[in-house]
Amino acid sequence: MEQARILIVEDEEKIARVLELELIYENYYVQKASDGLEGFAMYQAEPWDLIILDIMLPGISGIELLRRIRSQNTKTAVLLVTAKDSVEDKVSGLDLGANDYITKPFQIEELLARVRSSLRFQTEAALKTEAEAEEEQWLSAGDVRLNESAREVYAGGEPVELTRREFDLLYYLLKNKKQVLSRDQILEQVWGFDYIGETNVVDVYIRYLRNKIDKPFGTAHIQTVRGIGYVVKDFS
Ligand code: CA
């Protein structure tokens, strides 16, 4: 795993120094800021996996800094460091999206445990978002899958080579899965309003597509709706 990046925002120099040494010893990449404004500048300058954020800070408070961070970023984990008697800060900090908090004075082992759990949470959340983003790139119907940005098509689990027009046609059909599309609609959307040529071009390309995504696999994702046009369905 990559070295996790931790920013410490803490004005008490002694505490900041001890934290820094302990975290470096645990093989984290660590930087520190000694007030809220410096913390915000450093937050913006580099990517961070975790920010250890003291609430009582000169410049802008930890709560205000947290508000600014969360208004642009929900991925970086934030571990709040609170004074013993500031229950309100703790509550508003968690409301603002801090992942966890620790109360001063704390044992270093407790802090390291919180750091590990915050980073684990952050990694899992990031992985989930990546998987979701990857999934969103795909359109599918039954065994047919199409990735728009990579311009890849799979049918029956195998990659299928399509021409540009075939790809655009399949994209339009999948995007409007389960809707019956007329030949005119398809012509307008895939070939454009100003298309001049054979009116049976849609039928011709549907045949090309079927020969590539259905016929070899014994499926019938693209179905003819007599007198109207075509529809793509999940199951053939
Ligand atoms: Ca402080």
Side-chain angles (χ1 to χ4, degrees):
M1 196 185 143
E2 257 176 73
Q3 199 181 27
R5 305 170 57 86
I6 301 178
L7 174 63
I8 301 166
V9 188
E10 168 65 79
D11 60 315
E12 282 164 78
E13 217 173 293
K14 251 173 144 177
I15 297 182
R17 184 71 189 140
V18 170
L19 282 181
E20 183 187 29
L21 289 174
E22 291 284 349
L23 291 168
I24 287 173
Y25 183 76
E26 297 291 324
N27 198 31
Y28 296 115
Y29 169 83
V30 184
Q31 292 286 320
K32 53 186 177 19
S34 58
D35 66 55
L37 288 171
E38 190 192 1
F40 189 58
M42 290 183 70
Y43 154 72
Q44 288 184 305
E46 292 179 55
W48 301 101
D49 297 305
L50 171 66
I51 300 176
I52 299 176
L53 182 58
D54 186 29
I55 286 185
M56 300 288 283
L57 289 171
I60 54 174
S61 76
I63 293 292
E64 176 53 27
L65 181 49
L66 174 62
R67 195 195 314 276
R68 291 190 191 181
I69 290 169
R70 278 293 178 259
S71 74
Q72 13 180 285
N73 164 333
T74 53
K75 284 182 185 167
T76 302
V78 175
L79 173 58
L80 283 181
V81 181
T82 69
K84 202 162 51 183
D85 48 2
S86 62
V87 181
E88 281 165 33
D89 284 343
K90 203 156 37 190
V91 170
S92 52
L94 291 173
D95 280 346
L96 280 171
N99 301 78
D100 202 356
Y101 66 87
I102 190 164
T103 307
K104 279 181 184 173
F106 50 78
Q107 298 293 315
I108 197 71
E109 283 309 323
E110 189 192 353
L111 179 108
L112 292 175
R114 298 291 172 93
V115 164
R116 283 192 295 272
S117 93
S118 295
L119 285 171
R120 199 158 47 233
F121 181 82
Q122 187 264 351
T123 308
E124 277 162 14
L127 284 176
K128 213 174 132 202
T129 327
E130 246 173 63
E132 279 166 5
E134 162 76 7
E135 196 48 44
E136 277 167 13
Q137 307 245 324
W138 291 89
L139 291 176
S140 69
D143 290 342
V144 177
R145 283 166 63 76
L146 175 149
N147 185 313
E148 189 194 358
S149 57
R151 294 191 77 84
E152 284 175 356
V153 175
Y154 288 84
E158 291 174 27
V160 177
E161 289 280 332
L162 296 184
T163 64
R164 190 175 159 183
R165 189 72 81 186
E166 290 164 353
F167 182 94
D168 292 346
L169 173 59
L170 181 60
Y171 175 82
Y172 180 62
L173 293 172
L174 289 175
K175 193 87 182 166
N176 298 283
K177 187 168 78 171
K178 296 177 188 166
Q179 290 178 44
V180 176
L181 303 165
S182 71
R183 287 181 178 77
D184 284 345
Q185 265 178 304
I186 297 172
L187 202 59
E188 279 174 16
Q189 293 299 319
V190 181
W191 277 264
F193 286 99
D194 51 356
Y195 173 79
I196 307 165
E198 297 297 320
T199 49
N200 72 345
V201 69
V202 173
D203 304 296
V204 171
Y205 271 83
I206 290 284
R207 194 166 67 236
Y208 292 161
L209 266 187
R210 280 175 167 157
N211 284 338
K212 291 184 175 181
I213 66 164
D214 273 333
K215 228 177 160 184
F217 308 100
T219 55
H221 293 94
I222 304 175
Q223 299 183 5
T224 306
V225 181
R226 207 174 273 271
I228 302 177
Y230 297 97
V231 62
V232 160
K233 291 187 173 170
D234 277 321
F235 300 105
S236 44

